[in-house]
Amino acid sequence: MSEIASVDQLQRFLFNQANVRGELVQLKSTYQHILDSYAYPPVIQTLLGELMAATALLNATLKFEGEIGLQIQSEGIVKYAVVNGTHDLKLRGVARWDETLTELPESFSALFSKGYLVITITPKDGERYQGIVGLDQDSLAACIEEYFLQSEQLMTQVRLFAQQGEKPMAGGTLLQVLPTSSEATNVAESTEFGHIAALTDTLKAEELFSLEANDVMYRLYHQEEVEVFTPADVKFECHCSRESTIGALQNIAKEELLSIIAEEGAIKMNCQFCHTDYVFDAMDVETIHSGFDPDASKTAQ
Ligand SMILES: [Zn+2]
């Protein structure tokens, strides 16, 4: 099987007559990055892959510069899983689960107890928005559909896939009715929507993971009128920095920081997403708390 060119890209399209927008994403190296970052068991890898695909798909709802985050919180086997992405589709993610367990359940719902999904949208300028939906469906995709139905009354279809093994890939599709004010159009649209959703439902993981995005779309929608936009690149990239770490340290009392240094020699902050270490000594702490612009030229160690 030769390499497909549309991997690590997000493809947007529009069914103009039906008032339905669509997206398709295929992730390979973006996904591989997260798999390389920690020894996740397969079921957690799948969860992270689906979260990644979903974050890329939901990214298109951003109409401004900023960030979108999909965070799972639960008191069950999975404690927490998060993927966030910037408006230009740089994704990062991490998960924490009960690592004392040697065997994990296969089913989505068995991973969580009192679980919910928090969707956070953080514009670069402006107020942060948060939406929450319970994890009481049998797949992440179904939970996200439920979220859109509850919070925005928008009919949405989400399909998410992730595979491990020799060729790890993640991906998925999203269909959504365009917001409209007329109720009459809504009824007509829901029929059109149902038709396109049924076509999309025939997509199999092996097709999504082995065919070019264009070929997938042709296979699904060759009888429909669909406008296809230029694809956007997706990649794994962490936007942590020494500066943002300093920002966090500024909220901790100087005495407390100095006592950690006295005990441990230095303050080591490890980024949970990319595992970069940021190290600070007593001199750094003095500078950070002097109000003076800290040494930005220092690179991560
Ligand atoms: Zn990082």
Side-chain angles (χ1 to χ4, degrees):
M1 214 171 350
S2 62
E3 196 65 50
I4 47 176
S6 59
V7 288
D8 296 301
Q9 285 189 335
L10 176 77
Q11 179 69 65
R12 295 185 174 93
F13 44 96
L14 188 65
F15 302 91
N16 270 307
Q17 288 178 337
N19 263 339
V20 171
R21 68 180 186 88
E23 292 167 50
L24 184 153
V25 71
Q26 297 161 305
L27 301 175
K28 194 174 172 231
S29 76
T30 313
Y31 183 39
Q32 186 61 53
H33 240 285
I34 213 168
L35 302 184
D36 291 343
S37 72
Y38 200 82
Y40 293 115
V43 62
I44 306 291
Q45 291 183 342
T46 299
L47 179 66
L48 280 167
E50 292 190 357
L51 271 174
M52 265 196 139
T55 305
L57 294 167
L58 261 56
N59 200 286
T61 61
L62 290 181
K63 286 161 190 75
F64 39 73
E65 289 194 10
E67 222 183 274
I68 187 162
L70 267 64
Q71 182 168 357
I72 281 174
Q73 290 179 4
S74 114
E75 295 173 18
I77 294 166
V78 172
K79 305 298 170 201
Y80 142 108
V82 61
V83 171
N84 56 42
T86 55
H87 59 276
D88 52 356
L89 290 164
K90 290 170 182 152
L91 307 182
R92 61 179 191 173
V94 67
R96 295 281 171 265
W97 75 103
D98 184 350
E99 293 191 44
T100 62
L101 295 174
T102 46
E103 254 178 72
L104 297 180
E106 290 293 319
S107 90
F108 175 78
S109 42
L111 292 173
F112 314 105
S113 162
K114 295 178 192 165
Y116 49 92
L117 172 70
V118 185
I119 298 178
T120 308
I121 295 170
T122 315
K124 204 171 146 200
D125 310 299
E127 235 165 277
R128 195 161 91 152
Y129 167 82
Q130 251 182 358
I132 294 181
V133 68
L135 292 177
D136 31 29
Q137 313 289 324
D138 59 7
S139 69
L140 178 64
C143 294
I144 296 170
E145 289 174 353
E146 183 64 21
Y147 166 79
F148 278 108
L149 208 54
Q150 279 178 19
S151 69
E152 306 190 26
Q153 283 83 48
L154 285 179
M155 210 166 323
T156 307
Q157 185 209 52
V158 179
R159 291 291 174 269
L160 300 171
F161 306 93
Q163 76 176 15
Q164 281 84 48
E166 260 175 53
K167 278 186 164 235
M169 278 186 75
T173 57
L174 181 144
L175 291 178
Q176 191 167 64
V177 174
L178 295 173
T180 168
S181 51
S182 153
E183 223 174 304
T185 1
N186 264 330
V187 177
E189 270 169 9
S190 68
T191 327
E192 288 279 3
F193 180 85
H195 169 63
I196 299 167
L199 295 175
T200 312
D201 227 8
T202 64
L203 177 65
K204 294 182 183 70
E206 57 263 37
E207 294 175 316
L208 183 65
F209 294 148
S210 64
L211 298 173
E212 293 289 344
N214 281 340
D215 295 336
V216 173
M217 290 175 59
Y218 180 79
R219 189 168 282 205
L220 297 174
Y221 311 126
H222 62 278
Q223 285 179 326
E224 308 302 310
E225 207 171 294
V226 52
E227 186 184 349
V228 180
F229 301 101
T230 313
D233 290 334
V234 186
K235 66 171 173 174
F236 183 99
E237 190 177 298
C238 192
H239 48 274
C240 68
S241 66
R242 190 168 170 90
E243 287 76 9
S244 62
T245 313
I246 286 168
L249 290 181
Q250 274 165 339
N251 297 321
I252 304 170
K254 183 173 146 183
E255 295 69 36
E256 202 175 317
L257 295 176
L258 289 175
S259 82
I260 297 172
I261 292 172
E263 268 175 46
E264 296 172 20
I267 290 171
K268 269 190 197 154
M269 307 273 280
N270 179 266
C271 173
Q272 61 171 342
F273 293 101
C274 67
H275 305 288
T276 302
D277 274 326
Y278 296 99
V279 183
F280 300 90
D281 60 18
M283 186 83 93
D284 293 324
V285 168
E286 292 291 347
T287 318
I288 287 165
H289 277 273
S290 71
F292 181 74
D293 193 18
D295 181 10
S297 66
K298 267 194 191 176
T299 49
Q301 293 166 25

